[in-house]
Amino acid sequence: MASLIKPSTAFSTGFLTKELQEGCGVARISYCRSSRRRQSYAKATVAPLQKKYVDEGDYVKAGGQELSFVQMQALKPMDQPKIADKLTAFTDDKVLDLAVIGCGPAGLALASEAARRGLSVVLVGPDMPFTNNYGVWQDEFDALGLESCIEHTWKDTAMYFTDNDCLLLGRAYGRVGRDRLREELLRRCQEANVLYHCSEVEDISRVDKNSGSTLACASGKSIKCRLATFASGAASGKFLKYEALEERGMSVQTAYGIEVEVEKHPYDPNVMVFMDYRDYKAESGEGEVPSFLYVMPFSETRVFFEETCLAARPVMSFNTLKDRLYTRLNKLGVKVVHMYEEEWSYIPVGATLPDTNQQHLAFGAAASMVHPATGYSVVRSLSEAPTYAAAIAAALQPRKASPGYLQLQRDSISAALEAWNVLWPNERKRQRAFFFFGLELLLQLDVQSMRTFFQTFFKLPERMWKGFLAADLSSAELIWFALLTFLVAPNTLRMQLVKHLIKDPSGANLIKFYTQLWP
Ligand SMILES: Cc1cc2nc3c(=O)[nH]c(=O)nc-3n(C[C@H](O)[C@H](O)[C@H](O)COP(=O)(O)OP(=O)(O)OC[C@H]3O[C@@H](n4cnc5c(N)ncnc54)[C@H](O)[C@@H]3O)c2cc1C
């Protein structure tokens, strides 16, 4: 197709490092399209060296040096129904209102919400299961009407700073049943008549004002749509434009987890441990990048332990995290007797904003909706899907021209710009600059300063720390958040905050966003 943009080809000489040009050892999954039965995904096969990334940032977002672990996580065998068994296949050639590319939580949520609003919607993507274990604040999932998707609840959540300093947050936490969440989101898609095409998207044409764009699928099918939204995960640089990454590179949250049967463990099965920041070994080494333990105790003997590096640049490797986890368990006297599952959690937290003037839309991690200071995005994607879908539907509505009430078909380009403004208005950009400032601060803290930071953070009024974690404090409230943090913090942290604001580029960026983008 002559009209298709090929940014990856454009970049494939000169810009990419040799390793990137050779394909970074990237696995390509071959998808079984014929079977209509409920089946295990264990048969997904891996053939190396096929996919390329548009730049270094995209490569790091996809997994970088940790790519093989990221792929192991994505290819875990699961017993979940096939999407093709639930949704009607899209077989004809008609132009649809919206194509949603990617069948993760963000894609499924957006597709169902858009179809519920009367748009003709096709979901396009490999028919893959949900393999990640999501943890959520119970109240936030209840508010989304998704309480039935929570498979285990802890009535309280704890923070450990030292052996004598444990703080109970007074907030219930839940583990999402990945199969339940996927089933519920698929049910909503089915109910709203979302169509499905099982294929990776390889390319997309430029938007034609009147006829929209055309997706080129690996299956050989072309799909025409008025608008396309990429919900294809963080590494979507092949299709979307992003602001340039700072020279210091991308920061990533990594965590290595194990769900195990143990002889005994020291945690209360009624309390989820959000962060255990006690030393993982006899004493933390000078200058070490901090990590903490995240614990979901299901019973006296069954437990999920995850050694987590909140953010690091360069990335903290899974091997380092695994070593730390076992050193810590040894220190706690925990003996593993059976392993149920290993988990490799890789979340790029330092992604730059998408260009909000581009013609194709994005949602979820592809739209940089991951909270820079926490790594969470799923609740935000699920809760913003209705508003964003409504904005897309409104942007595609024919407009009445004033005198003769002639219906004017909206052109796809202005519809896309309208929708981008709803997803990333200036207010959201200001909030994000604040979270980035927070992320850059966290990247500089050693373990003792990290403890001090979180002791201070959880002393703030509940509305403040909850709002920061949920990213629902307004940019004005975030100024209050900063002032209160400064008031509550000990002098050491105050000095770090001031120095960070003055010296770190994220401080200047924060001031720029707050002054230039103020309404
Ligand atoms: C182990 C683990 C645990 C995590 N835990 C949490 C948590 O507790 N809370 C939280 O908020 N976040 C968590 N995260 C981060 C979270 O997974 C992601 O932020 C979330 O999955 C993003 O959802 P998404 O739908 O935007 O993208 P994804 O879940 O990445 O889905 C993208 C989809 O797009 C498809 N796709 C990619 N390229 C193409 C293409 N070219 N054509 C068609 N389809 C394509 C992929 O196959 C995939 O199905 C975790 C991540 C991991 C790895």
Side-chain angles (χ1 to χ4, degrees):
M1 286 177 109
S3 62
L4 294 177
I5 318 164
K6 294 209 179 286
S8 53
T9 320
F11 275 110
S12 67
T13 52
F15 184 79
L16 297 179
T17 61
K18 185 164 178 288
E19 190 187 18
L20 290 172
Q21 285 179 29
E22 284 171 357
C24 320
V26 175
R28 184 184 180 87
I29 307 156
S30 70
Y31 305 101
C32 170
R33 254 177 263 130
S34 56
S35 172
R36 305 277 299 171
R37 283 179 298 115
R38 184 186 173 97
Q39 62 175 34
S40 156
Y41 288 78
K43 291 189 197 107
T45 55
V46 178
L49 304 175
Q50 303 253 352
K51 193 169 172 182
K52 293 199 173 158
Y53 298 99
V54 286
D55 57 26
E56 193 93 36
D58 205 42
Y59 169 57
V60 175
K61 280 188 196 170
Q65 303 289 331
E66 302 299 310
L67 199 55
S68 54
F69 291 108
V70 173
Q71 284 163 353
M72 272 202 288
Q73 176 65 28
L75 292 173
K76 278 182 183 173
M78 294 282 146
D79 187 20
Q80 294 173 12
K82 302 292 282 178
I83 303 176
D85 287 346
K86 299 277 179 182
L87 305 184
T88 307
F90 177 58
T91 46
D92 56 34
D93 289 329
K94 71 176 184 199
V95 181
L96 295 169
D97 291 324
L98 180 69
V100 177
I101 299 107
C103 309
L108 293 182
L110 181 66
S112 68
E113 290 296 336
R116 250 167 39 83
R117 283 162 178 78
L119 299 184
S120 52
V121 180
V122 62
L123 185 66
V124 189
D127 200 338
M128 298 295 287
F130 283 5
T131 56
N132 300 339
N133 284 311
Y134 298 122
V136 291
W137 298 106
Q138 171 90 42
D139 52 303
E140 291 184 349
F141 236 51
D142 288 356
L144 291 168
L146 289 170
E147 55 274 31
S148 61
C149 297
I150 292 191
E151 64 182 13
H152 194 102
T153 302
W154 292 266
K155 61 176 196 259
D156 208 343
T157 313
M159 293 285 301
Y160 283 89
F161 302 108
T162 64
D163 284 337
N164 305 318
D165 188 0
C166 171
L167 176 72
L168 288 176
L169 300 179
R171 194 176 187 193
Y173 200 80
R175 156 116 122 192
V176 176
R178 51 198 162 192
D179 46 347
R180 292 190 199 181
L181 178 63
R182 185 168 173 276
E183 192 130 10
E184 172 59 19
L185 295 177
L186 275 176
R187 189 193 62 73
R188 293 179 183 187
C189 285
Q190 190 177 34
E191 209 172 80
N193 294 323
V194 172
L195 301 169
Y196 177 58
H197 182 65
C198 174
S199 173
E200 200 172 322
V201 169
E202 290 195 322
D203 230 327
I204 183 160
S205 69
R206 282 182 191 287
V207 175
D208 176 274
K209 268 191 156 202
N210 303 312
S211 59
S213 45
T214 306
L215 303 178
C217 299
S219 61
K221 186 171 176 60
S222 296
I223 296 178
K224 293 195 178 77
C225 57
R226 293 175 66 199
L227 279 179
T229 301
F230 285 90
S232 41
S236 292
K238 185 175 170 187
F239 308 107
L240 297 165
K241 286 179 270 171
Y242 295 88
E243 288 177 0
L245 188 63
E246 273 184 42
E247 236 172 70
R248 47 189 179 174
M250 175 84 59
S251 35
V252 179
Q253 179 181 114
T254 42
Y256 171 75
I258 50 173
E259 187 163 331
V260 286
E261 201 65 39
V262 295
E263 284 175 0
K264 59 181 171 47
H265 65 77
Y267 297 101
D268 177 352
N270 296 308
V271 179
M272 187 270 168
V273 179
F274 196 52
M275 291 173 164
D276 184 342
Y277 258 117
R278 290 175 292 180
D279 288 332
Y280 71 92
K281 57 183 179 186
E283 215 171 289
S284 284
E286 185 96 344
E288 269 192 351
V289 176
S291 62
F292 64 89
L293 188 66
Y294 172 94
V295 190
M296 289 177 155
F298 296 106
S299 70
E300 300 288 346
T301 56
R302 185 169 179 149
V303 59
F304 176 71
F305 292 115
E306 192 159 62
E307 189 72 24
T308 306
C309 172
L310 193 53
R313 190 179 48 218
V315 176
M316 185 178 286
S317 73
F318 288 115
N319 284 336
T320 303
L321 288 161
K322 186 174 181 176
D323 283 351
R324 287 191 183 193
L325 176 62
Y326 280 100
T327 308
R328 192 189 285 276
L329 294 185
N330 202 23
K331 190 178 164 216
L332 290 170
V334 174
K335 285 204 178 67
V336 174
V337 293
H338 177 72
M339 166 94 75
Y340 294 104
E341 187 176 346
E342 273 180 295
E343 177 173 282
W344 299 272
S345 173
Y346 185 96
I347 310 176
V349 284
T352 54
L353 274 175
D355 172 354
T356 49
N357 288 315
Q358 61 191 307
Q359 302 172 347
H360 304 305
L361 299 175
F363 195 58
S368 306
M369 289 169 72
V370 174
H371 192 311
T374 68
Y376 285 92
S377 72
V378 172
V379 167
R380 179 171 167 201
S381 296
L382 298 177
S383 56
E384 286 194 20
T387 325
Y388 191 44
I392 293 173
L396 285 172
Q397 277 291 317
R399 294 285 144 93
K400 286 180 178 149
S402 358
Y405 289 101
L406 177 70
Q407 295 265 303
L408 291 180
Q409 183 79 4
R410 293 306 309 287
D411 76 69
S412 298
I413 296 176
S414 47
L417 295 182
E418 221 171 290
W420 271 119
N421 276 333
V422 170
L423 194 68
W424 279 113
N426 285 347
E427 167 65 4
R428 272 277 181 210
K429 290 180 181 171
R430 275 194 298 276
Q431 291 166 312
R432 187 177 168 78
F434 192 95
F435 296 137
F436 247 90
F437 176 77
L439 165 67
E440 290 296 336
L441 176 73
L442 293 173
L443 284 167
Q444 288 167 24
L445 301 183
D446 62 15
V447 69
Q448 186 47 49
S449 308
M450 203 66 119
R451 288 178 193 130
T452 310
F453 177 84
F454 282 110
Q455 279 163 330
T456 306
F457 181 84
F458 286 111
K459 271 188 204 146
L460 296 175
E462 201 174 276
R463 160 78 189 127
M464 285 288 155
W465 65 258
K466 280 189 181 172
F468 183 92
L469 295 179
D472 68 0
L473 292 180
S474 69
S475 55
E477 284 174 308
L478 284 168
I479 296 178
W480 279 113
F481 171 92
L483 290 172
L484 281 173
T485 305
F486 194 78
L487 275 178
V488 175
N491 283 338
T492 46
L493 183 57
R494 283 184 186 155
M495 278 164 63
Q496 276 169 311
L497 284 167
V498 172
K499 195 171 130 203
H500 187 61
L501 183 64
I502 296 169
K503 289 204 164 161
D504 193 86
S506 63
N509 198 45
L510 175 66
I511 293 166
K512 185 186 97 183
F513 269 88
Y514 266 73
T515 49
Q516 291 182 2
L517 296 184
W518 204 257

